[in-house]
Amino acid sequence: MLANKTALVTGSTSGIGLGIAKALARQGANIVLNGFGDADGPQAEIAALGVKVTYHGADMSKPAEIEAMMAFAAKTFGQVDILVNNAGIQHVARIEDFPVERWDAIIAINLTSAFHASRLALPAMQKANWGRIINVASVHGLVGSAEKSAYVAAKHGIVGLTKVTALENATTGVTCNAICPGWVLTPLVQKQVDAKAAALGISNEDAKKQLLGEKEPSMQFTTPDELGQLAVFFCSSAANNVRGVAWNMDGGWAAQ
Ligand code: NAD
């Protein structure tokens, strides 16, 4: 379905980003990976799916590096047809204790980077009259949780950015939608599981059950593959007129 298209997925060396990149590659899209840590393993996983893959290590908190990444992607593959704004970090603390530097980093990586990547990707998408921008928000783009002020503010912000991006392109073939996962067992969440296990003196398995039990009625983690399949749907022709939605995959979290 996505042969001859190019997808750039930010923060795709791990977790949800890698799951989405693999799902798009299975549909034939060439992939530009981004993120920290090991890039060779993820690149090999994508290449094994029979598509072209490349990697750019831009730090998504730095606008100049985002510009360099977008130029690199356009030069390598002609243009970016599908942009998945996924890179994100978390920090958990009450507002009065929240480190100012963590606040700034979360807003820069989880929100502002999506503005920069989108503004740079949109002109070529508009010219081609086809494009998909998929913002990985969170159920925290729809509801709040204590001790996650920066994250919840950034995720509500990216849901707003999604709506405006969709509206500004509503008469074109360029769509923008957001994905709002509940708990997904990635390194980002494993840190929160570890912190709970240590704080309560309980096992890792019990900490996972507690985490789910507090918020997610299904008592199941959503998987990166399930989220990847939602991204594939947003890229399909069935989703041509799906514009500006924030679609939760959260085991019933936001239904309560
Ligand atoms: P993860 O830690 O597994 O992956 C995060 C990715 O972002 C990694 O590739 C990492 O290298 C990259 N990254 C971090 N800082 C970066 C920076 N400055 N520049 C470039 N890349 C950077 O986390 P994940 O759980 O897969 O999270 C991916 C997205 O999904 C985030 O936006 C997160 O907020 C969102 N999300 C996660 C969950 C969950 O339960 N895991 C739930 C809802 C939303």
Side-chain angles (χ1 to χ4, degrees), residues 113-248:
S113 75
F115 159 70
H116 288 299
S118 298
R119 74 180 170 79
L120 295 163
L122 276 166
M125 291 179 179
Q126 288 159 348
K127 197 163 167 224
N129 199 30
W130 195 92
R132 296 289 189 258
I133 297 180
I134 299 171
N135 292 326
V136 178
S138 165
V139 67
H140 283 120
L142 307 170
V143 298
S145 285
E147 302 191 356
K148 295 187 174 171
S149 55
Y151 190 86
V152 170
K155 295 301 186 181
H156 275 67
I158 204 167
V159 168
L161 177 65
T162 302
K163 291 175 183 170
V164 175
T165 309
L167 290 174
E168 288 183 0
N169 294 282
T171 58
T172 77
V174 180
T175 72
C176 179
N177 294 291
I179 295 179
C180 298
W183 291 122
V184 187
L185 194 56
T186 64
L188 182 143
V189 162
Q190 188 60 50
K191 275 191 213 153
Q192 294 171 65
V193 172
D194 294 344
K196 193 172 262 308
L200 301 178
I202 57 176
S203 70
N204 217 276
E205 278 316 301
D206 286 344
K208 281 183 204 161
K209 279 191 202 130
Q210 273 224 15
L211 212 71
L212 288 167
E214 284 163 12
K215 302 281 188 184
E216 197 149 323
S218 67
M219 291 300 284
Q220 278 176 46
F221 290 100
T222 302
T223 66
D225 183 55
E226 288 161 353
L227 296 163
Q229 292 184 55
L230 179 53
V232 167
F233 167 70
F234 283 145
C235 292
S236 73
S237 57
N240 278 347
N241 208 23
V242 178
R243 296 174 189 269
V245 306
W247 190 316
N248 35 323

Side-chain angles (χ1 to χ4, degrees), residues 39-62:
D40 293 342
Q43 268 188 281
E45 282 184 58
I46 302 279
L49 298 169
V51 297
K52 290 188 209 142
V53 56
T54 188
Y55 165 79
H56 193 284
D59 179 339
M60 296 304 290
S61 67
K62 304 207 164 107

